[in-house]
Amino acid sequence: MIGDLSTSADIAVSGMKAQAQRLKVISENMANAESVSAEPGKDPYRRQVVTFQQYVDRETGADMVKVGKIVKDKSEFIKKYDPNHPAADAQGYVSMPNVNPLIEMMDMKEAQRSYEANLSVVQTSREMNSKILDILK
């Protein structure tokens, strides 16, 4: 019984680690939402997206989750008219990062809630383990 609860906590911890990495990438996206090239024709910052991967823990046999890859979002850059910018093209447009702060905030909220849900599982597992040990005394 205690082993099952420990495995549940291990699964939740793997989810917490994956969501923490996702939050880090979202933070990088937000920090670079206005990062453009200093030279014409060069690409600005490109949004990154985290993918998750399932794996089986050899020790427990439990299905876990981890960050699979961090990939570049291939969506188009946003064009902003600013003929005085050093990175402006011949028509006066500057390529802006493909980062939408609203989407990043929604992703951040989702990752935060998932992290908190996994944390709740860990806390509940610990409490249940403690109660089982008290009963066995």
Side-chain angles (χ1 to χ4, degrees), residues 75-112:
S75 63
E76 294 293 319
F77 293 121
I78 300 162
K79 296 287 187 177
K80 178 180 172 185
Y81 185 71
D82 187 359
N84 296 325
H85 194 282
D89 62 15
Q91 291 79 31
Y93 287 93
V94 178
S95 289
M96 300 297 292
N98 58 347
V99 176
N100 182 336
L102 182 59
I103 291 174
E104 298 303 322
M105 289 301 293
M106 290 173 20
D107 284 350
M108 185 179 290
K109 208 51 153 159
E110 181 185 9
Q112 176 187 3

Side-chain angles (χ1 to χ4, degrees), residues 20 40 45 77 95 120 125 131:
Y45 175 81
F77 293 121
S95 289
S120 178
S125 294
K131 287 179 182 180

Side-chain angles (χ1 to χ4, degrees), residues 35-44 85-88 94-95:
S35 297
V36 297
S37 174
E39 301 174 31
K42 300 281 184 172
D43 286 343
H85 194 282
V94 178
S95 289

